[in-house]
Amino acid sequence: MLEINKKMAVKVIHATASPFSDFSSAWPFCSFVMSTKYLLSPCPQIGLNITQICLAKECNEDDIVEELLKLNDDPKVHGIYLHLPRGSITSRVLNTLKPEKDIEGESIDRLGSWGHFHLLMIILNIPTDAPLEGKTVLLVGGEGPLQLAVQCLIERSGMVTLKSHWSSKTLQAQNVVRSCSRWLKGQEYRPWHLRSLKLQPLTPVPSDLEISRAQIPKPVDQLAEEIGLLPEELEAYGRSKAKVRLSVLERLQSQPNGKYILVAGITPTPLGEGKSTVTVGLVQALSAHLKLNSFACLRQPSQGPTFGVKGGAAGGGYAQVIPMEEFNLHLTGDIHAITAANNLVAAAIDARMLHEATQSDKALFNRLVPSVNGVRKFSPIQISRLQRLGIRKTDPASLTPEEINAFVRLDLDPSKITWQRVVDTNDRFLRKITVGQASSEKGQIRETGFDIAVASEIMAILALADSLEDMKNRLARMVVGTSCSGQPITAEDLGVSGALAVLMKDAIKPTLMQTLEGTPVFVHAGPFANIAHGNSSVLADKLALKLVGQDGFVVTEAGFGADIGMEKFFNIKCRASGLRPSVVVLVATVRALKMHGGGPNVSAGAPLPREYTDENLSLVAGGCCSNLKKQIQIAHLFGVPVVVAVNVFKTDTQAEIDLVCQIAKDCGASDALPCNHWAQGGRGSSELAQAVKEAASKPSDFQFLYNTEMPIVEKIRTIAQRVYGADDIELSPEAKSKTDYYHQQGYGSLPICMAKTHLSLSHMPDKKGAPTGFVLPIRDVRASIGAGFIYPLVGTMSTMPGLPTRPCFYDIDLDPVTEEITGLF
């Protein structure tokens, strides 16, 4: 068989080794790479790779079919050529061969009954309704009596016959050209043929779970086909979700990007203000109602909030990602992969410290570089460490005692290990723990702690990487601690970075799902915005921007308020991706604006005070003129137009909604509109979609807030003063020492990722509106070198949330008969 690779890869299958003596001349413009001893390369620059598969002489039909099935499913194989004995080319074999990969046109649907005889008749230039007399027929293949019999039958009909063997130069070239053309055509951008799902909104609006269950999602392979994905670019996880391979980016690399829309929000209440709901409602409106290609890119929800206070993150009402249970629980296992990878690093750290503390240099070296069958050799990752140490040797026996010492001793300082274990649960009692207390750990006791899984640096790397290779390199660069001599120790120094890439190889692929109206959604990565950078992945956005086409829209969401998630989207994510947004959709609610205008505290699980359920224009105006105005100004710092989306609740009055829209436009918003997607689906956000379309058609003047070459302290000060409204910053002695150290190590040019409360523009959660006159305290400064940012910890910010008195899990249950879940929201 012939396989056609990358640029074009073809595979030739035959039952016994043959020299293909006349084969190379039949492909004058192709480069062949043959297995075994045959190498044919008449024109290497063309990039057509051909691999020979030599089956055993005694192979049977099952063996051939098995090999064909592998090649049919291999996206790297673009064409197959059969070079088999006549008796081996059965109808089953021909039916197995995919027509689109069939170079010779041998598959049974093309050959009809002649396929049994390895005979192909081609009638040249004859329309189906034209007479046959006087026409020319080309006979290919077949030998002896069979060929003579067919030739006689054809010539009796008044036609002229020409004969050719399968190895004919002209035929080979003709079929390869056709196969190549067919493959190239299949790689082109495919226009969408999206079939929207119909909604029948009910009043009163049922629970999120009831709405989700009432809608039957399209099979994910059907959705993929509708938006132009190829079958080989999909890895299904059940019926309703699938991973999408990154090869799409290569296939569509010349395709212009669509419009890039960011959904951010004002400073939220502890209940959340519905940015995910607005995101979903907006894409439902764009695709299902305005008939524009659009994609939502959302973060995967953490189990912490799902079972804690906030609940899931699939949207709500008639603007949801479905099935919402699958979205909110496990999904395709990405967070579990991150947890496993993160904790493998933690285990490697403690194990290495134990072994270094209890073994001599010689014993360590013998165990790190063991003799296998009398041969001792370094692994590739160990050679990389030697090179970083300046040791240019590859033979273990050639190292001096000093070089062995440098190689085997990481000499981690226990007090300067920055890497913590993670778990995807809100568990406050893991914030500080002691490890190594068992007698088997020989006194290697130290204090450490747990973070929530989505705060792991590996999550940030997943969200910021732009390829598998980039992710692997970032994982290797992660700094886990400092040696006693003050040198940073990386995951690659530990020898674990390759294993991390293996654990994360599937997690790097975004997950395809759909909204209630059947529009596509990418779910990928899930860093929190208050303790990480709070945005879905660069890769999901890039894939979606190619798939929607030049006139389409990709809507992605940044976590919490614009001062946190949006600022990090611009200064961190846009730097990493090179992408530039067209519009910011700023989500506001009357409820949150009343809180910022002086209303009483809002607590999760407690009934809302009357100020929030009764009309109160004074509180609304106060919130608009403080927090909403400030968040619009923050977006304008980056030169991006703002459309305000008022997420309407049933307790909002028309006067309150109109007031918000008017003040928003007075404060500089391009437009401001109420959105009723929660109750009506995409139809309830059609006006918002139209406003976003109009705003995106106008040029923007995007700019970053700061130059990364500024000193770390000055970048922190810029964010504090220009975004949060602080007078200045105050660094603790530890934070000042850390910033000096990071500059010494060459990390000073990284962007900043502030870890700050999401409940206020300041570091004080109870200070609402737009506080001024405060100094921002920087308690500590840490570095995520693999992810590519410095993150200061503001005030008492914790990287492990806790559970409230009454968590969401009280309401979550499973029916053991129907297996239906209840209580998720």
Side-chain angles (χ1 to χ4, degrees):
M1 285 183 203
L2 284 179
E3 149 199 353
I4 308 180
N5 247 336
K6 209 79 174 170
K7 294 184 180 174
M8 281 298 290
V10 185
K11 281 193 178 172
V12 187
I13 299 185
H14 55 94
T16 56
S18 67
F20 289 90
S21 56
D22 60 346
F23 200 69
S24 60
S25 60
W27 302 66
F29 53 87
C30 303
S31 164
F32 292 80
V33 180
M34 307 295 289
S35 63
T36 69
K37 60 183 179 182
Y38 306 112
L39 177 63
L40 307 173
S41 53
C43 191
Q45 71 269 23
I46 206 68
L48 182 59
N49 298 322
I50 297 186
T51 306
Q52 179 178 256
I53 297 176
C54 185
L55 301 177
K57 189 171 184 179
E58 62 276 10
C59 70
N60 57 30
E61 186 182 59
D62 288 342
D63 297 327
I64 299 170
V65 167
E66 183 180 357
E67 197 67 42
L68 281 172
L69 288 171
K70 291 178 188 175
L71 298 175
N72 281 345
D73 293 337
D74 188 345
K76 297 178 182 176
V77 176
H78 306 121
I80 301 168
Y81 168 77
L82 297 176
H83 192 274
L84 297 166
R86 185 182 306 165
S88 297
I89 303 186
T90 64
S91 60
R92 181 183 170 212
V93 167
L94 292 172
N95 279 328
T96 301
L97 177 58
K98 272 189 176 180
E100 61 266 29
K101 294 192 177 185
D102 180 7
I103 285 180
E104 285 283 289
E106 291 191 52
S107 49
I108 197 71
D109 58 325
R110 299 185 185 181
L111 289 175
S113 60
W114 292 113
H116 294 282
F117 307 107
H118 199 151
L119 178 72
L120 176 63
M121 295 196 304
I122 303 177
I123 300 177
L124 304 179
N125 301 319
I126 303 178
T128 56
D129 57 349
L132 299 180
E133 188 172 354
K135 304 302 181 183
T136 301
V137 176
L138 176 64
L139 290 180
V140 184
E143 299 292 341
L146 174 64
Q147 187 187 72
L148 288 173
V150 173
Q151 182 178 348
C152 289
L153 288 170
I154 292 172
E155 290 178 349
R156 279 185 186 179
S157 301
M159 293 182 283
V160 179
T161 56
L162 298 176
K163 291 183 285 185
S164 175
H165 295 289
W166 291 110
S167 57
S168 163
K169 297 180 185 180
T170 305
L171 186 65
Q172 294 279 7
Q174 183 188 56
N175 284 334
V176 168
V177 168
R178 288 177 176 174
S179 179
C180 290
S181 299
R182 194 165 56 237
W183 177 78
L184 290 170
K185 184 71 175 174
Q187 302 305 298
E188 293 176 356
Y189 176 81
R190 299 184 175 192
W192 284 25
H193 300 285
L194 189 69
R195 179 181 65 86
S196 300
L197 299 178
K198 301 299 182 184
L199 277 185
Q200 295 180 326
L202 301 176
T203 304
V205 176
S207 72
D208 292 351
L209 197 52
E210 289 172 321
I211 293 172
S212 175
R213 287 216 184 106
Q215 186 71 292
I216 299 175
K218 292 178 283 190
V220 72
D221 55 345
Q222 177 187 326
L223 173 64
E225 183 180 0
E226 290 175 356
I227 62 173
L229 286 167
L230 305 181
E232 59 266 27
E233 292 168 341
L234 211 64
E235 297 176 3
Y237 280 65
R239 184 182 181 276
S240 55
K241 57 186 184 292
K243 288 284 192 181
V244 174
R245 292 178 175 171
L246 305 186
S247 57
V248 178
L249 287 173
E250 183 177 357
R251 176 169 67 88
L252 300 179
Q253 59 184 326
S254 61
Q255 171 70 19
N257 286 341
K259 301 291 186 182
Y260 197 29
I261 312 301
L262 175 69
V263 175
I266 65 172
T267 303
T269 68
L271 307 177
E273 308 316 307
K275 289 190 307 301
S276 299
T277 310
V278 170
T279 301
V280 175
L282 176 56
V283 294
Q284 289 181 178
L286 286 165
S287 288
H289 299 272
L290 270 62
K291 304 304 179 184
L292 298 168
N293 293 354
S294 72
F295 230 114
C297 292
L298 298 175
R299 291 173 293 163
Q300 179 184 355
S302 163
Q303 182 178 294
T306 300
F307 291 100
V309 175
K310 192 169 175 286
Y318 287 100
Q320 291 188 57
V321 180
I322 56 172
M324 68 94 80
E325 306 103 304
E326 295 183 25
F327 179 92
N328 286 317
L329 300 172
H330 306 297
L331 198 62
T332 48
D334 293 355
I335 292 180
H336 300 316
I338 289 165
T339 302
N342 185 101
N343 293 344
L344 179 61
V345 177
I349 291 169
D350 287 316
R352 186 60 176 263
M353 291 173 64
L354 169 67
H355 295 313
E356 287 189 24
T358 57
Q359 297 181 48
S360 65
D361 288 358
K362 182 179 179 181
L364 273 172
F365 188 73
N366 287 339
R367 287 178 169 85
L368 288 171
V369 193
S371 176
V372 180
N373 297 325
V375 178
R376 190 189 301 272
K377 60 185 294 186
F378 293 117
S379 67
I381 202 167
Q382 289 176 326
I383 291 175
S384 296
R385 171 159 170 77
L386 288 169
Q387 292 172 346
R388 289 195 302 279
L389 292 170
I391 303 171
R392 308 297 175 187
K393 297 178 180 179
T394 58
D395 179 7
S398 66
L399 266 63
T400 66
E402 292 76 16
E403 290 170 336
I404 288 175
N405 176 268
F407 172 71
V408 302
R409 300 277 170 194
L410 299 181
D411 200 23
L412 273 160
D413 184 340
S415 67
K416 294 184 178 178
I417 293 171
T418 56
W419 196 265
Q420 302 209 115
R421 290 167 171 82
V422 299
V423 63
D424 196 35
T425 303
N426 291 358
D427 193 343
R428 66 176 71 245
F429 283 89
L430 293 178
R431 289 171 179 167
K432 181 175 285 190
I433 63 169
T434 303
V435 296
Q437 295 189 82
S439 59
S440 55
E441 274 50 78
K442 303 178 182 178
Q444 298 297 307
I445 298 172
R446 69 180 184 91
E447 279 192 352
T448 181
F450 273 75
D451 296 328
I452 193 161
V454 292
S456 169
E457 182 175 356
I458 297 176
M459 173 62 87
I461 287 172
L462 177 68
L464 292 170
D466 65 8
S467 67
L468 186 58
E469 182 180 11
D470 183 37
M471 182 182 72
K472 184 178 177 181
N473 292 335
R474 287 172 178 268
L475 291 169
R477 292 198 301 266
M478 293 188 306
V479 173
V480 301
T482 306
S483 71
C484 292
S485 61
Q487 293 302 307
I489 303 299
T490 66
E492 191 171 29
D493 289 323
L494 281 169
V496 74
S497 56
L500 302 181
V502 169
L503 286 170
M504 295 293 295
K505 72 178 182 66
D506 292 319
I508 197 172
K509 303 165 192 170
T511 298
L512 176 66
M513 296 187 75
Q514 63 193 279
T515 69
L516 280 165
E517 296 192 56
T519 66
V521 179
F522 273 140
V523 187
H524 202 213
F528 285 169
N530 53 351
I531 55 179
H533 75 283
N535 287 270
S536 63
S537 77
V538 165
L539 280 169
D541 292 357
K542 286 188 171 183
L543 284 165
L545 285 164
K546 294 298 183 186
L547 287 167
V548 296
Q550 190 169 9
D551 298 323
F553 292 81
V554 171
V555 184
T556 190
E557 174 223 353
F560 294 126
D563 56 304
I564 300 182
M566 185 187 72
E567 181 271 315
K568 294 171 184 177
F569 172 87
F570 290 140
N571 283 321
I572 298 175
K573 186 176 180 180
C574 288
R575 287 184 201 272
S577 68
L579 301 173
R580 302 292 181 262
S582 304
V583 179
V584 167
V585 174
L586 190 68
V587 178
T589 62
V590 169
R591 176 180 69 191
L593 290 169
K594 286 180 176 179
M595 178 187 72
H596 290 298
N601 286 336
V602 175
S603 300
L608 285 172
R610 287 190 60 185
E611 288 86 346
Y612 296 100
T613 56
D614 295 343
E615 183 176 286
N616 191 318
L617 297 178
S618 174
L619 290 179
V620 171
C624 288
C625 295
S626 57
N627 197 269
L628 178 60
K629 180 180 179 180
K630 176 63 176 175
Q631 302 287 15
I632 293 172
Q633 291 172 346
I634 293 169
H636 286 163
L637 289 174
F638 298 92
V640 183
V642 178
V643 174
V644 171
V646 183
N647 190 19
V648 175
F649 286 62
K650 62 184 178 181
T651 55
D652 300 344
T653 68
Q654 191 60 48
E656 290 173 331
I657 294 167
D658 292 343
L659 183 61
V660 175
C661 293
Q662 183 58 53
I663 295 177
K665 287 184 275 191
D666 292 344
C667 292
S670 300
D671 208 341
L673 303 111
C675 303
N676 291 284
H677 44 264
W678 181 82
Q680 300 173 12
R683 182 167 57 87
S685 280
S686 294
E687 290 185 1
L688 173 65
Q690 189 62 47
V692 167
K693 179 186 175 185
E694 291 176 9
S697 67
K698 300 172 184 176
S700 63
D701 187 24
F702 178 80
Q703 60 187 6
F704 293 115
L705 183 66
Y706 53 79
N707 187 322
T708 54
E709 297 304 317
M710 292 168 57
I712 292 173
V713 172
E714 289 309 308
K715 287 181 283 196
I716 297 172
R717 181 175 283 113
T718 298
I719 295 171
Q721 292 178 334
R722 300 192 66 190
V723 176
Y724 305 154
D727 286 348
D728 203 353
I729 60 173
E730 182 179 14
L731 273 70
S732 70
E734 181 180 8
K736 181 66 171 66
S737 174
K738 291 275 191 72
T739 57
D740 293 341
Y741 173 75
Y742 296 144
H743 276 293
Q744 292 168 10
Q745 295 299 327
Y747 306 146
S749 61
L750 294 176
I752 303 300
C753 181
M754 303 288 278
K756 181 189 78 71
T757 179
H758 60 288
L759 297 173
S760 172
L761 282 161
S762 73
H763 60 288
M764 301 166 283
D766 58 329
K767 299 296 183 183
K768 307 301 181 182
T772 57
F774 64 94
V775 174
L776 194 73
I778 308 300
R779 172 171 57 88
D780 194 7
V781 179
R782 299 175 186 172
S784 292
I785 305 305
F789 52 70
I790 303 292
Y791 68 102
L793 274 69
V794 178
T796 58
M797 194 66 211
S798 171
T799 51
M800 169 56 85
L803 288 171
T805 304
R806 193 187 189 282
C808 298
F809 60 63
Y810 275 86
D811 301 310
I812 297 172
D813 204 353
L814 178 72
D815 186 319
V817 177
T818 64
E819 297 187 9
E820 286 192 346
I821 297 168
T822 58
L824 275 178
F825 68 95

